[in-house]
Amino acid sequence: MCHQGVSAKILVGFIVGASALAVGKAATSKRSAEPPPVVERKVKEKPWLGKEAAAQVVSEGGAMGPLFDGFDLGGAPPDAKHRALIAEFARKNDVTIDLDVRGGVLQSVRFEVSYGGCCGYEAADLFARRIGRPFNGGGCFGEKEWLNDWAASPGDGTRLRAKVDVNTVTLRWDAELTVPELLARADGVIGRPADAIGRRAGDRWISLERGKFLLEQPYPFEGLDSWTRATRSFDLGFHLGVADNRVTSVAFALRADDLAEKTLIPQLAAHWGAATKQGDAWTWTKVDRTITAQLGDRSGTLEIALRDR
C-alpha cells in the first residue's frame, strides 16, 4: 500500500511539473513571437543654403557673387589660395562649385545646390526668383508661368545659364560673346565632325531630333523688348544640321538690338566680305559654304550651309 501511495504521488508530481513546463514554454514562445517595439528616430535634415551664403555666390540680378572676385572668365584661373577658399565654401555649405579651366584659361564657373526635406522645391523656387527667374504671362496675359530653364545677361560681362529641377538649382556662367566672336564660332563649326564637337561641348550639346542638335552659346540672342521672355531653344545657341557625322548647317536667331543694318551688316561684311542683297536677305557665297542673313524689323536669322560640290 505504501508503495502504491508513493508511486501515485510521484506520478501526480510528474504530471504537474510537465504541465507547468509546457505552460512556461508556451508563454516563452508567445513572448518571442511578439515584434520588438518600434523606436522612431528623427532624421536630421541638412541645413539649407542660407541667404547670406547664397549672396556670396550670386547676386540678386544673377551676376557672379563676391566669392569669385579677383578673377575673370576668359582670363587666368584663380590661384591656389582662392581655389582653396572656394572649395572650403562649397564643403561647408554642401554645394557644388566647378571651375572649368582649359589651356590655362578659366572657361566657365558652374554652381549647383539641392534643397532637401519635404519643402526643398519651395526653397529652390525662392532662390531662383531672387536671381531673376523669368516668367510668361502675368497681368492681362493670365497667371505667371515660371520658367525652369533660361539664360540671362546680368550685366557683368557674363552670360548666365540657369535651370531649376524640382529641388535643385544649377547655374553656369560663361564670358559673354561679342558679335565678331559669335560669327567666328559659327564659321568654325561648319564642316567639322559632330561627335568631336559634342565631346568638347559637354552639357552644352543637346540632341533635338534626328540630325538636329543645339550647341549652346553665351550670347544674348533675344532682345529685352521681346513680347515673351521664354527661352526657346533657338534663343540659346546654334541649331546644327548633321549628316554622316558632319555639321552641314549652322543657324541662329539674331538679337533685336543687333538687327540694324548700320551696326550688323558692317560686322558681317568684316567677317565674310561683300554681300549680295535681295529684299531683306543678305547672301555671301564662298567656296565651300553659303551664308544667308534674313533681317526683319524685330527678328532675324543667320544660317551657314555647306555647298554641294
Side-chain angles (χ1 to χ4, degrees):
M1 294 291 296
C2 291
H3 291 294
Q4 291 180 354
V6 172
S7 298
K9 289 180 178 180
I10 293 174
L11 180 60
V12 171
F14 176 78
I15 294 173
V16 171
S19 300
L21 180 61
V23 172
K25 286 185 177 181
T28 302
S29 177
K30 184 178 181 180
R31 285 196 300 270
S32 63
E34 294 178 354
V38 177
V39 179
E40 293 186 3
R41 295 182 181 179
K42 293 184 178 181
V43 179
K44 186 177 181 181
E45 294 181 0
K46 292 182 179 179
W48 286 347
L49 179 69
K51 187 175 181 179
E52 292 183 2
Q56 289 295 308
V57 176
V58 55
S59 72
E60 292 191 2
M64 298 172 67
L67 182 64
F68 306 111
D69 285 348
F71 60 89
D72 297 316
L73 293 174
D79 57 26
K81 183 178 180 180
H82 203 156
R83 284 193 183 210
L85 179 66
I86 293 172
E88 175 59 20
F89 177 92
R91 184 199 63 78
K92 182 179 179 181
N93 292 280
D94 194 27
V95 300
T96 299
I97 301 177
D98 292 323
L99 306 179
D100 181 13
V101 179
R102 282 177 284 171
V105 175
L106 179 62
Q107 303 290 341
S108 63
V109 173
R110 184 178 180 277
F111 168 81
E112 182 173 288
V113 58
S114 293
Y115 296 92
C118 65
C119 305
Y121 69 95
E122 292 183 358
D125 287 343
L126 183 62
F127 176 61
R129 294 184 191 187
R130 189 176 66 80
I131 63 174
R133 183 181 192 179
F135 58 87
N136 284 331
C140 299
F141 300 97
E143 295 184 4
K144 292 181 180 178
E145 177 190 354
W146 295 99
L147 302 181
N148 295 324
D149 194 352
W150 74 95
S153 295
D156 61 347
T158 69
R159 184 68 173 168
L160 171 66
R161 188 74 174 86
K163 297 180 181 181
V164 178
D165 184 7
V166 189
N167 66 327
T168 299
V169 180
T170 304
L171 309 176
R172 187 186 71 230
W173 291 274
D174 296 273
E176 190 167 274
L177 299 176
T178 64
V179 171
E181 291 171 335
L182 183 72
L183 299 180
R185 284 200 181 187
D187 220 15
V189 168
I190 195 76
R192 290 188 56 200
D195 56 358
I197 296 174
R199 284 194 300 269
R200 183 174 178 81
D203 62 357
R204 296 170 176 82
W205 178 265
I206 301 169
S207 178
L208 300 176
E209 56 184 273
R210 185 178 179 83
K212 299 291 183 181
F213 296 87
L214 169 68
L215 180 59
E216 293 185 355
Q217 299 294 328
Y219 179 79
F221 293 97
E222 188 176 44
L224 298 178
D225 59 348
S226 173
W227 280 97
T228 173
R229 298 183 66 187
T231 50
R232 301 170 304 278
S233 62
F234 226 90
D235 302 317
L236 298 176
F238 299 150
H239 272 226
L240 307 182
V242 175
D244 297 327
N245 194 37
R246 191 183 187 200
V247 177
T248 57
S249 64
V250 181
F252 54 92
L254 294 168
R255 188 172 64 144
D257 292 349
D258 295 329
L259 290 177
E261 289 186 15
K262 64 180 181 180
T263 57
L264 179 61
I265 297 303
Q267 295 184 87
L268 299 178
H271 188 80
W272 283 300
T276 300
K277 183 182 181 183
Q278 186 174 1
D280 293 333
W282 297 73
T283 305
W284 291 259
T285 303
K286 301 300 179 182
V287 174
D288 64 338
R289 66 197 63 187
T290 300
I291 302 96
T292 304
Q294 292 280 354
L295 307 182
D297 293 333
R298 296 181 58 84
S299 64
T301 59
L302 190 145
E303 181 176 10
I304 309 172
L306 287 180
R307 297 181 60 191
D308 295 330
R309 290 186 292 173

